């Protein structure tokens, strides 16, 4: 959009009224988006008596981190009373390899699909692309059988395999669309100089790939960290990821509901992806719209 | 290349080099073929058997689908999907689009506002569900807060109301997705040609008219992308319902994805679960396949 000030018709009082209107709407929206996280955070810092008094939007009387400590290391999830910590670690152990491996595979296959127009490349791409959109309900029954067959049912290893495989569609899409926009001349020149497939990948494509690697890593990390269906279907007890443990904690049927512990637990489970977004969200949006949306 | 022996060796290496792209794409492609298409076929076959606790392979025809379509629980779930899907898509696109246009007016704190609108997307549905469940809890959340402020008759008990629970799911889902839609629109707005806008301004068109007449129509591809992304997300939606209402009261707020999970893992009705999964896949495919087809074709000619 062009600078409004430089355009005719944007002057004086009307301009100011317009600005006021825009700012009012934008700030109202910001309050609505921030509201829930404020409520969750302030509830996690209150004690139960204060919560029962019911002042949802009030600030806590004092900063009380007992609920956080309990959520992290002593709240009961099922029969185990070790808090979210072991499940949080499960999620870390699950996310790191699946993000790294699926990004590597996506980079290589996206590169191969983008630069070397062999026969059938488009059909292969379309078939892989559809994998991004399937509802996972369609694969959980055979996957449960397969994991059992491979002896990795009810384990973090099983979840790593599942997340890696179903991440390949997305990562291939990202890298392929990104590499398609790399100038062909670069590659042609390197080919003239005698560089082969892997040399071009290593010396030309990878150094150019930082933005799309960031997108792929952020995307995969949020997907894997936040995933619930696979975790709930393929694991139980101590092998569960943090999302499943959180849900079990919230929906547990103990006599006294500890809302402050629930809210602290929710924030702990959300923290890693939130941090990633606040730090790197800018790059993500830029890269995502450049890579994925154009299709 | 002096002798035939050497020539033959060269050509093997050459060939290997020529087929390297295929060799690199091959393994991940085969993984997808097996774990996506093979598994779809497996689920499709199971949906035609009377598998209960364990999958069996005796062909029974379409009886699971007949059973499925006669079940009230399934019909409620599918009806909910129609309500949820249409409202979720409508509100997310409208709110996202409005926010993007407003942010496009050279706003000073744009970066901060964008992060605020976008952050819900980073959070898992389980957390979102937990947060909204708390806020909408009638005895402790908004309802009780308003009553304490003196508005005694204030009522907002949708989450425990059989007829309204599905709208609570819509509320939380729109809160989560509209910022993402905003980001899509905003980056598309940034690519609109400034000269056309300047020219229209010089002709005396108002900002509103320029948006409705020129800019928004040029964003049609983004509307389509947003629609496709949100539509397939709504069909997949599962965890938000689990955390927010657990499908209740009764099964009044279940979606097909929750129905499938319930049948496959809780009630030992694998055949029925597989049939419902196939119905979900068919719904997704009806939206995605034409989209992918037109996108890839357009690329081909462009």
């Amino acid at each position: 959009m062009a600078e409004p000030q430089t355009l005719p018709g944007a002057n004086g009082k009307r301009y100011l009224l317009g600005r006021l209107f825009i700012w009012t709407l934008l700030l109202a929206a910001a309050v609505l988006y921030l509201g829930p996280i404020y409520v969750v955070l302030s509830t996690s810092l209150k004690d139960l008596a204060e919560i029962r008094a019911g002042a949802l939007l009030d600030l806590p009387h004092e900063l009380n981190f007992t609920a956080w400590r309990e959520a992290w290391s002593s709240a009961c999830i099922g029969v185990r009373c070790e808090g979210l910590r072991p499940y949080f670690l499960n999620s870390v152990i699950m996310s790191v390899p699946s993000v790294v491996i699926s990004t590597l595979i996506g980079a290589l296959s996206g590169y191969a699909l983008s630069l070397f127009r062999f026969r059938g490349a488009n059909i292969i791409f379309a078939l892989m692309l559809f994998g991004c959109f399937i509802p996972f309900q369609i694969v959980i029954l055979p996957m449960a059988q397969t994991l059992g067959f491979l002896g990795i049912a009810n384990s973090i290893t099983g979840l790593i395999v599942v997340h890696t495989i179903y991440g390949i569609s997305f990562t291939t899409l990202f890298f392929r669309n990104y590499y398609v926009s790399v100038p062909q001349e670069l590659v042609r020149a390197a080919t003239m100089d005698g560089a082969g497939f892997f040399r071009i990948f290593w010396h030309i494509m990878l150094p150019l790939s930082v933005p799309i690697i960031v997108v792929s890593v952020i995307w995969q990390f949020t997907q894997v960290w936040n995933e619930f269906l696979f975790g709930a279907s393929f694991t139980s007890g101590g092998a569960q990821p943090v999302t499943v443990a959180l849900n079990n904690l919230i929906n547990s049927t103990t006599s006294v509901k500890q809302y402050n512990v629930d809210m602290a637990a929710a924030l702990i489970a959300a923290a890693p992806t939130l941090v990633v977004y606040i730090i790197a969200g800018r790059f993500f949006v830029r890269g995502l719209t450049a890579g994925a949306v154009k299709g | 290349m002096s002798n035939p022996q050497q020539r033959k060796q060269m050509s093997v290496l050459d060939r290997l080099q020529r087929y390297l792209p295929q060799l690199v794409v091959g393994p991940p492609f085969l993984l997808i073929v097996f774990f996506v298409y093979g598994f779809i076929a497996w689920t499709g076959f199971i949906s035609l058997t009377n598998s209960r606790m364990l999958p069996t392979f005796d062909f029974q025809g379409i009886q699971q689908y007949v059973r499925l379509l006669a079940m009230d629980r399934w019909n409620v779930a599918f009806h909910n999907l129609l309500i949820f899907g249409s409202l979720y898509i409508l509100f997310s696109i409208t709110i996202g689009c409005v926010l993007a246009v407003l942010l496009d007016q050279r706003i000073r704190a744009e970066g901060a506002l964008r992060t605020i609108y976008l952050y819900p997307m980073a959070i898992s549905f389980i957390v979102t569900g937990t947060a909204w469940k708390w806020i909408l809890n009638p005895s402790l959340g908004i309802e009780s807060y308003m009553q304490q402020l003196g508005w005694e008759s204030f009522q907002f008990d949708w989450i425990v109301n059989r007829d309204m629970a599905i709208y609570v799911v819509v509320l939380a889902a729109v809160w989560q997705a509209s910022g993402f839609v905003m980001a899509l629109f905003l980056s598309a707005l940034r690519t609109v040609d400034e000269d056309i806008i300047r020219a229209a301004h010089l002709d005396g068109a108002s900002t509103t008219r320029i948006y409705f007449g020129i800019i928004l129509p040029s964003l049609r591809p983004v509307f389509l992308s947003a629609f496709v992304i949100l539509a397939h997300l709504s069909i997949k939606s599962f965890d938000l319902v689990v955390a927010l209402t657990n499908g209740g009261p009764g099964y009044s707020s279940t979606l097909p994805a929750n129905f499938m999970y319930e049948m496959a893992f809780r009630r030992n009705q694998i055949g029925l679960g597989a049939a419902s999964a196939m119905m979900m896949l068919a719904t997704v495919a009806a939206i995605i396949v034409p989209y992918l087809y037109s996108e890839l074709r357009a690329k081909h000619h462009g």
Side-chain angles (χ1 to χ4, degrees):
Chain A
M1 180 86 209
E3 295 261 9
Q5 293 91 332
T6 65
L7 294 167
N11 50 10
K13 221 195 241 167
R14 252 192 84 176
Y15 175 72
L16 275 179
L17 269 177
R19 290 267 110 179
L20 193 66
F21 175 70
I22 291 168
W23 270 103
T24 313
L25 283 182
L26 286 175
L27 289 179
V31 168
L32 287 179
Y33 281 93
L34 286 175
I37 204 152
Y38 164 74
V39 168
V40 169
L41 182 63
S42 67
T43 305
S44 76
L45 297 172
K46 293 173 181 172
D47 60 31
L48 280 177
E50 206 179 336
I51 290 170
R52 290 226 185 71
L56 184 77
L57 295 176
D58 293 2
L59 279 169
H61 295 321
E62 54 182 313
L63 292 184
N64 181 347
F65 290 97
T66 329
W68 282 74
R69 220 166 298 132
E70 199 169 323
W72 177 247
S73 55
S74 67
C76 294
I77 295 160
V79 288
R80 290 160 48 118
C81 296
E82 301 165 54
L84 275 189
R85 185 171 48 190
Y87 307 96
F88 190 93
L89 292 178
N90 281 348
S91 280
V92 174
I93 296 166
M94 170 181 82
S95 307
V96 174
S98 21
V99 170
V100 171
I101 300 170
S102 62
T103 298
L104 275 176
I105 297 178
L108 269 172
S109 52
Y111 163 64
L113 280 172
S114 70
L115 288 182
F116 296 84
R117 291 316 183 92
F118 48 86
R119 212 144 48 106
N122 259 337
I123 295 169
I124 288 180
F125 182 58
L127 286 172
M128 288 179 88
L129 199 51
F130 186 65
C132 297
F133 294 102
I134 55 158
F136 288 131
Q137 282 74 17
I138 201 79
V139 298
I140 45 178
L141 288 170
M143 190 48 117
Q145 293 251 300
T146 309
L147 292 177
F149 177 77
L150 295 173
I152 47 175
N154 196 17
S155 74
I156 295 296
T157 316
L159 287 184
I160 292 172
V161 169
V162 174
H163 285 303
T164 304
I165 290 170
Y166 293 109
I168 292 176
S169 295
F170 283 98
T171 55
T172 303
L173 164 77
F174 292 151
F175 282 97
R176 186 262 191 191
N177 285 352
Y178 185 78
Y179 289 149
V180 160
S181 66
V182 170
Q184 289 283 315
E185 293 77 44
L186 266 178
V187 180
R188 222 167 287 147
T191 318
M192 293 288 193
D193 290 345
F197 182 84
F198 287 107
R199 266 185 83 91
I200 296 178
F201 179 67
W202 193 251
H203 290 288
I204 298 180
M205 299 316 256
L206 268 192
L208 290 173
S209 305
V210 176
I212 199 65
I213 291 174
V214 171
V215 168
S216 173
V217 167
I218 297 179
W219 174 269
Q220 279 300 94
F221 180 69
T222 30
Q223 293 298 307
V224 176
W225 187 275
N226 289 341
E227 209 280 332
F228 178 77
L229 177 66
F230 289 146
S233 309
F234 304 143
T235 59
S236 59
Q240 291 169 335
V242 73
T243 44
V244 180
L246 173 67
N247 188 55
N248 291 344
L249 175 71
I250 306 292
N251 289 326
S252 67
T253 46
T254 47
S255 49
V256 185
K257 199 92 196 81
Q258 294 201 289
Y259 296 107
N260 47 1
V261 176
D262 287 1
M263 295 303 119
L267 284 172
I268 290 172
T273 50
L274 268 181
V275 169
V276 167
Y277 257 60
I278 290 165
I279 293 173
R282 224 158 10 113
F283 306 104
F284 178 67
V285 172
R286 206 177 299 155
L288 186 68
T289 42
V293 179
K294 284 174 192 163
Chain B
M1 314 215 174
S2 43
N3 59 55
Q5 184 73 38
Q6 211 174 349
R7 195 175 302 153
K8 203 172 171 193
Q9 260 185 5
M10 275 306 290
S11 80
V12 169
L13 265 178
D14 268 357
R15 274 176 159 224
L16 204 67
Q17 186 73 21
R18 251 191 45 211
Y19 287 112
L20 257 182
Q22 283 96 321
L23 289 176
V24 167
V25 178
F29 179 61
L30 289 180
L31 279 180
I32 299 289
V33 167
F34 181 78
F35 285 97
V36 172
Y37 297 94
F39 278 13
I40 289 174
W42 193 96
T43 305
F45 186 78
I46 290 299
S47 76
L48 299 172
T49 67
N50 62 359
S51 306
R52 286 178 184 274
M53 203 169 106
L54 290 168
T56 58
F57 294 94
D58 45 337
F59 185 78
Q60 292 279 320
I62 59 162
Q63 72 167 36
Q64 298 285 14
Y65 292 88
V66 176
R67 258 180 85 200
L68 183 70
L69 294 177
M71 279 178 85
D72 184 52
R73 198 186 183 98
W74 169 258
N75 288 317
V76 167
F78 204 80
H79 187 233
N80 277 341
L81 176 62
L82 295 180
I83 297 175
F84 171 72
S86 51
L87 294 178
Y88 170 63
I89 294 170
L90 180 74
F91 282 113
S92 297
I93 290 188
T94 312
I95 294 170
C97 186
V98 168
L99 287 178
V101 168
L102 292 177
L103 268 189
D104 193 35
Q105 312 303 313
R106 300 252 151 192
I107 295 300
R108 196 171 307 224
E110 189 199 307
L113 285 170
R114 219 178 33 199
T115 308
I116 291 173
Y117 300 153
L118 201 57
Y119 88 90
M121 193 209 159
I123 303 175
S124 76
F125 282 116
I126 296 294
V127 172
T128 303
T130 305
W132 283 96
K133 184 184 194 166
W134 168 243
I135 293 166
L136 298 169
N137 178 337
S139 59
L140 290 161
I142 293 182
E143 181 174 295
S144 102
Y145 188 73
M146 293 309 246
Q147 288 171 354
Q148 271 180 13
L149 287 183
W151 189 351
E152 301 277 335
S153 62
F154 184 85
Q155 267 214 328
F156 192 54
D157 61 350
W158 288 7
I159 199 163
V160 290
N161 182 329
R162 188 170 282 276
D163 297 323
M164 302 307 282
I166 189 67
Y167 298 99
V168 164
V169 184
V170 174
L171 177 69
V174 169
W175 177 79
Q176 177 137 19
S178 45
F180 172 64
V181 179
M182 179 278 305
L184 292 184
F185 277 107
L186 190 59
S187 36
L189 283 171
R190 292 288 145 80
T191 64
V192 173
D193 188 3
E194 288 201 7
D195 290 337
I196 300 176
I197 298 165
R198 209 171 282 273
H201 254 296
L202 288 175
D203 286 347
S206 68
T207 312
T208 324
R209 266 201 64 178
I210 291 175
Y211 269 101
F212 279 102
I214 302 171
I215 300 178
L216 291 182
S218 77
L219 297 185
R220 245 185 53 173
V222 188
F223 278 101
L224 189 62
S225 303
F227 173 81
V228 168
I229 293 170
L230 294 171
H232 107 274
L233 284 180
S234 68
I235 297 166
K236 283 179 174 177
S237 282
F238 168 73
D239 8 3
L240 185 61
V241 172
V242 170
L244 191 56
T245 63
N246 208 4
Y251 50 81
S252 61
S253 63
T254 49
L255 288 173
N258 305 95
F259 176 95
M260 190 276 161
Y261 188 83
E262 176 82 18
M263 291 304 147
F265 291 101
R266 298 248 170 85
R267 304 203 171 196
N268 296 330
Q269 297 286 343
I270 286 186
L272 199 61
S276 65
M278 291 304 284
M279 300 288 281
M280 291 175 62
L281 179 74
T283 319
V284 168
I287 295 165
I288 299 299
V289 170
Y291 174 73
L292 287 186
Y293 186 74
S294 69
E295 282 283 298
L296 292 172
R297 257 187 89 85
K299 255 263 148 92
H300 218 59
H301 295 296

